Amino acid sequence: MEVDSSAVDVGQLKNGDIDESLYSRQLYVLGHEAMKRMGSSHVLIAGMRGLGVEIAKNIALAGVKSLTLYDPEPAATSDLSSQFFLHPEDVGKPRADVTAPRVAELNAYTPISVHPSKSLTDNLDDLRQYQVIVLTGSSLKDQLTISDFAHANGIFIVITDIYGLFGSIFTDFGKQFAIADPTGENPVSGIVADIDSEGLVSALDETRHGLEDGDFVTFSEIQGMTALNDSEPRKVTVKGPYTFSIGDVSGLGAYVRGGLYTQVKMPKVVDFQPFREQLQKPEILMSDFAKFDRPQQLHIGFQALHAFKDKHGHLPRPHNDTDATQILDLTKGLAGEGEDKVELDEKLIRELSYQAQGDLSPMAAFFGGLAAQEVLKSVSGKFHPVVQWLYFDSLESLPSSVERSEALCKPTGSRYDGQIAVFGTEFQEKLGNINQFLVGAGAIGCEMLKNWALIGLAAGPKGKINVADMDQIEKSNLNRQFLFRPKDVGKLKADCAAEAVQAMNPELKGKIVTLRDRVGPETEHIFNEDFWEGLDGVTNALDNVDARQYVDRRCVFFRKPLLDSGTLGTKGNAQVVLPRLTESYSSSQDPPEQSFPQCTLRSFPNKIEHTIAWAKEKFHQYFVGPPETVNLYISQSNYIEQTLKQSGNEIPTLESIRDFLVTKKPSNFDDCIVWAREQFEAEYNNAIQQLLYNFPKDSTTSSGAPFWSGPKRAPDPLKFDANNPAHLNFIKATANLHAFNYGIKGGDQVQGPHYLEVMGNMMVPEFAPNPGVKIQADDNEPDPNAQNGKSSFDDNDELDKLVSSLPAAKSVAGLKLQPVEFEKDDDTNHHIDFITAASNLRAQNYAIAEADRHKIKFIAGKIIPAIATTTALVTGLVVLELFKVIDGKDDIEQYKNGFVNLALPFFGFSEPIASPKGKYLGKEGEVSIDRLWDRFEVEDMTLKEFLDHFSGKGLDVMMLSSGVSLLYASFYPPKKLKDRMGLKLSELVESISKKPIPEHQKNVIFEMTVEDQTGEDVEVPYVMLKLRK
């Protein structure tokens, strides 16, 4: 059965090209080569329950040559617990047949078909057409038969299963499997300061080299040991953070100076053993080092489940003790003898039996993301596979606030039976009556809503889900935000996501409220106290730190549990924030974003990142700043007077107004071409000539060392060449953006010959360096062009001349320029074209290796790389924590913050960090406080009553403030305090701040400095004044 997937024109992809508008974010994870290899691969997935469809969804989104599904079994109502592409009306129909058309909608570039067979093992030769086979829900007998055939025929195999809160994955990619890039990290590079006679390399200026033992590096631009330049890669032994050894360098001469080192990714070869051998002696990758003894037990426990099913025709019944005893006996029989005997935890094995029929959406998400990534690794050679087993469980997610028994866990005929088998009906009811807030409906938000729909979150009579997202759907979203389709592009994410999950679970109809506002300080009248107080919990699905910190602060203030998560390519994390138990998201911070010294960008770049940052500055200087300034000049009557108060900036500001309104104002597109050609000359020839005039190539520093050495690369001017595509691309992009500023149309219709004709008629004057120009040589030195506090009013004549050259604002009142708003994802707007051309021309000036448009777009656009597999897996981890939050667990050790890197692969889990605690000495003795979550709450009382209230607690208030207003200080004179003491706190705030308290605000926050009974300053929580409105 072939499934038509013609949502987009597949004909637009020819000769292995990749649709970058769709795959943009994934390309930054996998790269073009890996994706092209994926694009020639045929994949088979067997088993279309929750786990199988999760894998299929992720692989379809990622893009392979073809994806074939296999599952002739009829769909059951209980499948709806985790199979999001099954509908109630599909019950009784073959799972693969009804699933395939819905998987096909995900990606028109991935053809979907159904494997036409009643049994995969009937004709094994039919399997030769596939590069990878994934088995889910298969019998052990079939796993052995198919894996033997696959190993013998060079077919990669992935076997994965979930049983309630337990799951496993196995991989076999054959003998001599080559991994082209084991980590996916960008190769490191740096500047060489020295190489001694023993081969010890020192990095310049004590910059960390970032290498590890066993890495390989190549060298270039070295003077002295020139034989190292462009030679075979050298193996590294790390000697320290700033030094590494490359071994024997005898006979290569003496190092003089200069040079760059660059890490080279070397392929790694792994020999995989067949499944049959690994079943007896497993090689296991640890998923949680706190559960070191579990994988071996689960390895034989899973085999016991297979044996039980072979004998009885079904898995052990939920919470049935008779079946659990049989599973325990079978496991004991597999546990071995002597030194190899596996020590069993009977409670663990019984729990495995109790949950065997369980089918949980978050477990399917975890193993579905992991298994799909392993499939992509096998066909692309990108990233290190799981070798060869991994077991994972989340037994901590079992509820303790409700009963679990055979009667409560038995099937009820509902769509949640796969979940009831694990948690019981009481917990299912609890899930249904939750009021949860989801902030963001992008990649993580889509996956989160899918999981919530499947687990029945808020599907009960009191349940409610609020989803806030103000963004519209873009084409690049479709690659990983799987609730959206091409027809949804341009619509609001929150609306489309809500509609999609209500179709998955009709019981959610009327339970989801979509909010189209940004969650922030400016919308606190919408997301007000009543809104927050009504919530049971909050889940972040945001991609920027500021927004996450804001939501975190609100959760701390309203004491609501928060689940936060994020992804970056193959890396992902999940964090639990619990009132009065854990620290909050804002308690720890990522390192600040890298920035470059201005001196480096202006005059001394040495890597492509410098030239890209410079090009982004030029983008703003050309197309954003001046048009905004001109518009202000035209629209503000007193703009000149205001500008002349800006000491130091008035002349450049007035010059840009003059240029854009008078001397350089274009009247047609040809004028824009001329302007663009002038900018080329100014930046790539004149500025470089001036720099070399100030610092000739043979100049030296005050210590006699060559000036142009180390990080300083001597540049060369560029001579404009009309036949050089890079030169012409700069002119085209610059001219079009300049024309956009003025609303001049028709630039896109102008062809190359016309550009050449216009530039051929120009006179470009010869440049003569200006002896009066000063250039800063080092960021540690003062900028010679700084005003040093002196105002340019000293040059009144020049200012007057500039002002008189400007047209009166009234005379150009109808004119309004259009500043360019940077947009990285529109390939027709010339934005990335300009930055690519500008940065690469600058790189040519300085003999820096150029970058392609794809890489420059990534860096300039600050694109966050993303892939569906990581998103699915991380969301699974979050929902496993959500179960604990809803259960009301108050033991911090039961919760898990998770960090994963699917590329390595690495899994790290730790209990959350506890919130900081403190204490003070009150009148009744020592008082313990939670410095993050605690606060004092008071009614609206007078200032005197307030001071007495805290004095009664043994705290003497020294100072009291609200926002920037100081309301009370013990050192204030009595006369000043007399008027304030009788005022109510709300009146005092309004009086001192001279602003009324907004109507929607139901509280006011005070900070106070106090002394306790020891007479010492102590840190105490803030005070919340509750207003009765």
Side-chain angles (χ1 to χ4, degrees):
M1 171 180 149
E2 291 287 335
V3 179
D4 178 34
S5 53
S6 54
V8 296
D9 180 12
V10 182
Q12 66 187 275
L13 280 199
K14 300 278 174 70
N15 303 320
D17 288 345
I18 294 169
D19 184 349
E20 293 194 9
S21 62
L22 176 67
Y23 290 118
S24 162
R25 304 305 187 263
Q26 181 176 293
L27 272 167
Y28 294 115
V29 182
L30 299 174
H32 284 81
E33 283 308 308
M35 280 201 60
K36 283 179 180 175
R37 286 195 289 272
M38 285 159 45
S40 61
S41 303
H42 303 274
V43 179
L44 170 68
I45 303 174
M48 277 297 115
R49 296 182 74 207
L51 178 54
V53 76
E54 186 72 48
I55 300 167
K57 176 257 291 179
N58 293 328
I59 292 174
L61 290 171
V64 290
K65 180 80 171 176
S66 75
L67 178 60
T68 305
L69 312 182
Y70 172 79
D71 192 338
E73 294 300 312
T77 301
S78 61
D79 293 337
L80 300 174
S81 286
S82 62
Q83 221 284 26
F84 45 83
F85 280 153
L86 286 182
H87 301 159
E89 61 270 22
D90 299 323
V91 171
K93 300 174 187 174
R95 288 193 195 107
D97 288 358
V98 292
T99 302
R102 291 156 196 165
V103 175
E105 292 176 3
L106 293 170
N107 187 351
Y109 299 135
T110 302
I112 309 296
S113 60
V114 174
H115 186 84
S117 172
K118 288 294 178 191
S119 169
L120 283 181
T121 55
D122 279 354
N123 186 355
L124 291 172
D125 282 337
D126 282 352
L127 303 179
R128 294 182 188 276
Q129 60 187 297
Y130 306 113
Q131 274 76 50
V132 199
I133 298 171
V134 183
L135 300 180
T136 73
S138 300
S139 69
L140 183 57
K141 181 183 174 186
D142 282 359
Q143 289 175 1
L144 285 162
T145 302
I146 294 168
S147 62
D148 285 347
F149 178 82
H151 190 85
N153 289 277
I155 300 168
F156 306 139
I157 192 154
V158 175
I159 301 172
T160 180
D161 284 299
I162 54 172
Y163 302 102
L165 289 164
F166 299 90
S168 73
I169 186 169
F170 167 83
T171 64
D172 173 12
F173 299 162
K175 288 193 173 298
Q176 298 287 294
F177 178 76
I179 308 164
D181 180 0
T183 67
E185 299 295 330
N186 289 325
V188 300
S189 61
I191 301 171
V192 176
D194 183 54
I195 306 175
D196 71 13
S197 59
E198 302 296 316
L200 185 72
V201 181
S202 302
L204 185 75
D205 292 339
E206 292 207 336
T207 305
R208 289 179 178 273
H209 51 66
L211 296 165
E212 296 179 3
D213 280 344
D215 285 345
F216 285 78
V217 294
T218 56
F219 294 90
S220 60
E221 301 183 19
I222 286 176
Q223 296 180 40
M225 287 185 180
T226 53
L228 277 178
N229 291 332
D230 304 318
S231 64
E232 288 297 307
R234 291 284 200 132
K235 193 172 184 178
V236 165
T237 304
V238 173
K239 298 297 184 183
Y242 316 110
T243 56
F244 59 90
S245 172
I246 55 170
D248 183 16
V249 291
S250 59
L252 299 181
Y255 174 81
V256 177
R257 66 169 172 265
L260 307 171
Y261 64 86
T262 304
Q263 182 189 6
V264 178
K265 291 291 183 83
M266 304 295 279
K268 179 181 178 180
V269 175
V270 176
D271 270 333
F272 284 82
Q273 291 180 330
F275 177 71
R276 191 176 293 274
E277 289 179 26
Q278 277 284 306
L279 204 58
Q280 303 307 315
K281 290 191 173 180
E283 185 174 352
I284 297 175
L285 173 71
M286 288 300 298
S287 65
D288 188 345
F289 286 95
K291 303 175 180 179
F292 200 78
D293 60 336
R294 282 195 192 169
Q296 288 286 356
Q297 296 182 68
L298 295 179
H299 184 69
I300 54 176
F302 278 34
Q303 292 176 57
L305 292 178
H306 282 291
F308 183 98
K309 189 176 181 183
D310 285 346
K311 182 178 179 182
H312 298 281
H314 61 80
L315 287 165
R317 289 163 291 179
H319 231 279
N320 181 282
D321 283 320
T322 305
D323 290 356
T325 300
Q326 282 193 50
I327 289 293
L328 184 58
D329 291 341
L330 285 166
T331 307
K332 285 177 179 175
L334 293 164
E337 302 289 339
E339 290 183 10
D340 294 333
K341 183 176 180 181
V342 178
E343 292 295 326
L344 295 180
D345 175 350
E346 290 195 10
K347 189 179 176 187
L348 177 73
I349 302 303
R350 282 189 172 276
E351 200 58 69
L352 175 61
S353 177
Y354 289 163
Q355 297 182 34
Q357 289 191 22
D359 188 13
L360 297 179
S361 165
M363 291 297 289
F366 180 92
F367 279 97
L370 177 56
Q373 190 67 60
E374 294 305 303
V375 170
L376 301 181
K377 290 175 186 178
S378 72
V379 296
S380 69
K382 181 92 172 184
F383 311 138
H384 201 293
V386 168
V387 180
Q388 287 186 252
W389 294 90
L390 178 136
Y391 287 89
F392 171 79
D393 74 80
S394 183
L395 282 187
E396 303 83 10
S397 297
L398 285 173
S400 54
S401 65
V402 296
E403 289 293 316
R404 287 194 309 138
S405 65
E406 185 171 5
L408 290 169
C409 295
K410 69 182 182 185
T412 64
S414 97
R415 63 178 296 127
Y416 307 116
D417 276 354
Q419 188 162 274
I420 289 170
V422 180
F423 296 141
T425 51
E426 289 182 10
F427 191 67
Q428 189 62 49
E429 187 178 336
K430 207 168 188 177
L431 287 170
N433 292 305
I434 292 295
N435 184 345
Q436 193 76 7
F437 183 23
L438 178 66
V439 192
I444 289 176
C446 282
E447 293 287 340
M448 203 70 71
L449 282 170
K450 171 206 71 181
N451 279 282
W452 290 359
L454 294 170
I455 69 173
L457 188 79
K462 298 176 185 174
K464 184 179 178 184
I465 293 172
N466 296 278
V467 186
D469 197 312
M470 60 181 292
D471 287 345
Q472 295 177 320
I473 297 163
E474 299 174 3
K475 186 179 179 183
S476 65
N477 299 151
L478 303 180
N479 173 239
R480 65 201 183 285
Q481 299 176 18
F482 88 107
L483 297 180
F484 308 140
R485 301 291 178 268
K487 66 181 174 56
D488 298 324
V489 171
K491 297 177 185 175
L492 283 164
K493 288 183 177 180
D495 290 349
C496 289
E499 188 181 330
V501 294
Q502 286 172 94
M504 280 180 189
N505 184 353
E507 292 180 20
L508 279 178
K509 283 186 177 163
K511 303 288 184 182
I512 302 179
V513 177
T514 58
L515 301 149
R516 305 169 187 184
D517 300 281
R518 186 192 304 278
V519 182
E522 69 279 8
T523 55
E524 287 182 3
H525 61 292
I526 298 169
F527 303 100
N528 54 24
E529 280 86 347
D530 289 341
F531 175 84
W532 285 95
E533 292 291 359
L535 300 174
D536 292 308
V538 182
T539 302
N540 267 349
L542 295 162
D543 62 0
N544 74 86
V545 171
D546 289 344
R548 289 159 86 171
Q549 287 180 335
Y550 173 79
V551 174
D552 176 66
R553 289 195 299 273
R554 299 305 276 172
C555 286
V556 170
F557 182 79
F558 291 103
R559 293 170 176 157
K560 299 296 177 184
L562 169 68
L563 294 168
D564 188 272
S565 58
T567 68
L568 183 70
T570 58
K571 298 169 187 166
N573 73 286
Q575 181 180 355
V576 193
V577 176
L578 299 162
R580 295 190 172 91
L581 276 183
T582 72
E583 68 174 17
S584 76
Y585 172 82
S586 306
S587 299
S588 58
Q589 293 190 343
D590 292 330
E593 197 174 293
Q594 183 185 22
S595 61
F596 303 116
Q598 276 302 308
C599 186
T600 300
L601 295 186
R602 280 198 297 257
S603 305
F604 308 112
N606 58 61
K607 54 185 179 181
I608 196 68
E609 287 80 3
H610 295 157
T611 71
I612 294 170
W614 176 88
K616 278 198 77 175
E617 285 193 359
K618 289 298 167 190
F619 184 93
H620 189 275
Q621 288 172 19
Y622 287 174
F623 314 118
V624 184
E628 288 176 346
T629 303
V630 166
N631 289 342
L632 288 172
Y633 170 73
I634 294 170
S635 61
Q636 291 184 8
S637 56
N638 63 341
Y639 183 74
I640 291 290
E641 290 78 4
Q642 290 293 322
T643 304
L644 297 185
K645 291 178 184 175
Q646 298 172 9
S647 175
N649 282 332
E650 54 272 30
I651 287 181
T653 301
L654 294 173
E655 282 177 340
S656 72
I657 295 172
R658 178 201 63 198
D659 290 348
F660 270 65
L661 275 182
V662 185
T663 56
K664 299 293 183 182
K665 182 185 174 187
S667 56
N668 53 43
F669 191 74
D670 286 2
D671 291 344
C672 297
I673 296 174
V674 170
W675 185 83
R677 174 67 183 86
E678 289 170 350
Q679 304 318 306
F680 180 99
E681 200 68 17
E683 303 295 355
Y684 303 111
N685 181 33
N686 301 357
I688 302 299
Q689 285 200 49
Q690 182 68 56
L691 181 63
L692 291 173
Y693 174 83
N694 285 53
F695 305 110
K697 287 192 175 184
D698 58 358
S699 56
T700 57
T701 65
S702 55
S703 63
F707 178 83
W708 295 105
S709 61
K712 289 188 171 72
R713 302 173 66 84
D716 290 297
L718 294 184
K719 182 174 175 59
F720 183 77
D721 179 359
N723 296 314
N724 186 319
H727 294 204
L728 195 56
N729 286 343
F730 175 86
I731 302 298
K732 287 180 178 177
T734 307
N736 273 283
L737 290 170
H738 196 54
F740 175 88
N741 285 152
Y742 288 91
I744 294 171
K745 307 289 185 187
D748 286 332
Q749 278 73 54
V750 176
Q751 300 300 312
H754 186 74
Y755 283 92
L756 302 182
E757 181 185 339
V758 172
M759 291 186 290
N761 293 328
M762 282 178 64
M763 287 292 295
V764 180
E766 286 291 321
F767 177 73
N770 182 347
V773 170
K774 297 174 182 175
I775 298 175
Q776 187 179 6
D778 193 291
D779 271 293
N780 297 324
E781 297 178 4
D783 185 349
N785 298 302
Q787 294 292 323
N788 295 323
K790 286 172 57 184
S791 168
S792 300
F793 277 109
D794 300 344
D795 205 345
N796 281 323
D797 287 348
E798 187 174 353
L799 278 172
D800 291 343
K801 197 173 173 184
L802 273 171
V803 172
S804 65
S805 70
L806 301 179
K810 288 181 182 177
S811 69
V812 285
L815 178 68
K816 185 178 181 183
L817 300 192
Q818 291 175 267
V820 176
E821 192 173 326
F822 179 63
E823 170 50 59
K824 59 187 177 291
D825 283 322
D826 180 354
D827 288 339
T828 66
N829 64 11
H830 305 285
H831 299 188
I832 296 297
D833 293 338
F834 170 82
I835 291 171
T836 300
S839 61
N840 278 338
L841 290 173
R842 179 92 166 157
Q844 287 178 23
N845 278 138
Y846 286 86
I848 296 168
E850 296 174 43
D852 61 21
R853 188 182 190 279
H854 182 68
K855 179 177 178 179
I856 289 171
K857 177 179 175 179
F858 174 65
I859 296 171
K862 296 182 179 177
I863 288 175
I864 299 171
I867 189 167
T869 50
T870 316
T871 309
L873 185 148
V874 165
T875 311
L877 291 177
V878 172
V879 177
L880 290 171
E881 296 306 305
L882 177 64
F883 288 144
K884 304 173 189 177
V885 173
I886 291 171
D887 185 43
K889 295 184 191 300
D890 56 7
D891 177 4
I892 197 170
E893 293 183 5
Q894 296 298 303
Y895 291 91
K896 299 272 187 181
N897 284 347
F899 175 79
V900 301
N901 186 342
L902 295 185
L904 299 178
F906 170 81
F907 301 86
F909 296 96
S910 62
E911 71 180 55
I913 297 172
S915 52
K917 306 297 190 286
K919 56 191 176 184
Y920 67 85
L921 187 62
K923 288 195 171 173
E924 304 297 321
E926 197 170 85
V927 180
S928 296
I929 52 172
D930 188 309
R931 286 186 174 149
L932 178 62
W933 296 98
D934 279 346
R935 63 175 172 241
F936 298 109
E937 295 187 3
V938 297
E939 300 294 332
D940 199 4
M941 55 180 72
T942 66
L943 177 59
K944 184 176 187 312
E945 290 169 339
F946 179 88
L947 298 175
D948 292 344
H949 173 75
F950 281 97
S951 180
K953 292 179 179 289
L955 296 173
D956 295 325
V957 179
M958 299 290 105
M959 283 193 288
L960 180 70
S961 62
S962 178
V964 295
S965 302
L966 184 59
L967 309 177
Y968 167 82
S970 58
F971 54 77
Y972 276 175
K975 186 178 177 183
K976 188 170 186 176
L977 290 175
K978 184 181 176 185
D979 296 335
R980 300 188 182 190
M981 283 296 187
L983 289 177
K984 288 206 163 185
L985 293 173
S986 58
E987 297 168 346
L988 184 60
V989 168
E990 292 184 328
S991 168
I992 303 299
S993 68
K994 296 184 171 54
K995 286 189 292 189
I997 297 169
E999 266 303 310
H1000 68 270
Q1001 196 171 314
K1002 294 190 175 181
N1003 52 64
V1004 179
I1005 301 304
F1006 296 102
E1007 299 284 350
M1008 58 182 185
T1009 306
V1010 301
E1011 291 179 356
D1012 68 358
Q1013 294 299 287
T1014 64
E1016 298 291 326
D1017 283 353
V1018 288
E1019 187 179 336
V1020 294
Y1022 65 89
V1023 181
M1024 185 175 88
L1025 165 64
K1026 293 187 289 184
L1027 301 172
R1028 295 189 179 276
K1029 291 191 177 181

